Structures are given as C-alpha cells and as structure tokens.
C-alpha cells in the first residue's frame, strides 16, 4: 500500500488558517473590523493561500 502524496498547498493553507484563527482569538484588535499591524500579514497570508487553493480546486473540476 503506497502513501498518499502530500498536498503542500493544502497543508500551508490549513496552517495559515490555524495561525490566523489563533491570532484573532488572542488579539482583541483583530476581533474588530480592522486587524492590528501584527495580524495583517497573518490574515493576508491566509487569504492568499485560500484563494490559491480555491482556484486550483475550480481548475481541477
């Protein structure tokens, strides 16, 4: 039985989701409408990876 290949984009996307979620939970500023200076790159990375993963999923259909 062979191992399933790792989907690096999915792994990065899920890690970015975890980082964004953890930061938001611990940062009162990011719980509002405007993220803090530290949170901006964290949330932007998550959004970029989510867009890339979603685009790839649509392309594979």
């Amino acid at each position: 039985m062979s191992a399933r290949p790792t989907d690096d984009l999915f792994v990065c996307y899920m890690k970015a989701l975890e980082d964004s979620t953890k930061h938001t939970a611990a940062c009162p500023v990011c719980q509002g409408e405007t993220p803090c200076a530290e949170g901006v790159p964290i949330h932007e990375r998550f959004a970029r990876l989510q867009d890339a993963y979603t685009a790839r999923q649509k392309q594979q259909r």
Side-chain angles (χ1 to χ4, degrees):
M1 190 163 153
S2 63
R4 187 174 176 190
T6 302
D7 182 343
D8 292 335
L9 177 58
F10 182 74
V11 171
C12 289
Y13 166 41
M14 289 295 102
K15 174 68 171 118
L17 170 62
E18 179 182 8
D19 293 345
S20 179
T21 302
K22 282 183 179 179
H23 179 80
T24 300
C27 179
V29 176
C30 284
Q31 292 172 15
E33 290 187 30
T34 305
C36 72
E38 184 181 331
V40 167
I42 295 169
H43 304 310
E44 285 178 348
R45 181 170 189 270
F46 165 65
R48 263 193 326 276
L49 287 165
Q50 183 178 41
D51 289 347
Y53 184 75
T54 301
R56 189 181 74 184
Q57 291 298 100
K58 286 179 182 177
Q59 193 176 46
Q60 290 178 348
R61 290 183 193 173

